[in-house]
Amino acid sequence: MADRKHGIPAPPTETTVRSADWDGRDLTGETYRRVLFVDVDMTELIDRGSAFEECTFRNVRFNVSEHEDALFLNCTFSRCSFFDATFKGCKLTGSMFDGCSYGLFKVDGGDWSFVGLPGADLRGSALHGVRLREADLTGARLEGAEVRRCDLSGAWLHSADLTGCDLRGSDLGGLDPHTVKLNKAVIDPYQATIIATALGLEVRDQSAV
């Protein structure tokens, strides 16, 4: 398993749910703390306002699941699948993703600060209005993805592939263009000035002397 951000170990679990069929289950309002979920089918699961604290998910299928205003605090996701999964207004602060698969992954709003997504293959995913402060996106693949209006302050983006990524409206103040791939990325005029400055260029109005 990849190291968690800052080397913090995953919290120990106290109970286990193994090989359960939760396909289409409604978890609205339910709470789980320090639970280990192994080989659980959560396909098309509906999750409104549930809370998972310091839980670990291994080989769990979240495909086509819907999560709204849910809490996944300091959780660990290992070799899970998130095809066409949707997270809206959710809080995943401090959670870690390792060896997971995504595809049509959608995140709308919410707080994903300090989340670990190193090397994540997020090609074609859509992240809109998400707080990603100090998130670990080292080596992440975001080709053709949408990362719109996101707070990326302090995010780790070294070796990330942002080829063709739509970054408009996101905070790129901490982005080092020398360490990422930005070919054909879509940015707004304000971001263009920030990147040009980071490259050592001097930006002047054409009317300036």
Side-chain angles (χ1 to χ4, degrees), residues 101 153 158 183:
S101 59
S153 54
H158 186 81
N183 186 42

Side-chain angles (χ1 to χ4, degrees), residues 25 33 37 67 83 85 89 179:
R25 181 168 171 172
R33 187 173 188 275
F37 296 89
H67 309 266
F83 177 77
T179 64

Side-chain angles (χ1 to χ4, degrees), residues 13-82:
T13 54
E14 298 168 353
T15 57
T16 301
V17 176
R18 187 183 300 274
S19 301
D21 183 0
W22 287 14
D23 188 343
R25 181 168 171 172
D26 188 340
L27 296 184
T28 298
E30 296 190 19
T31 300
Y32 300 87
R33 187 173 188 275
R34 294 199 168 185
V35 178
L36 169 62
F37 296 89
V38 182
D39 297 321
V40 177
D41 185 0
M42 294 188 179
T43 302
E44 297 188 354
L45 175 144
I46 302 296
D47 172 9
R48 310 268 191 249
S50 64
F52 296 85
E53 297 184 40
E54 301 187 336
C55 293
T56 294
F57 301 85
R58 294 180 186 164
N59 297 315
V60 174
R61 295 179 294 283
F62 289 95
N63 303 329
V64 204
S65 60
E66 298 180 13
H67 309 266
E68 185 172 352
D69 299 325
L71 172 70
F72 292 87
L73 180 63
N74 203 25
C75 291
T76 301
F77 300 87
S78 180
R79 300 184 303 279
C80 297
S81 58
F82 292 92

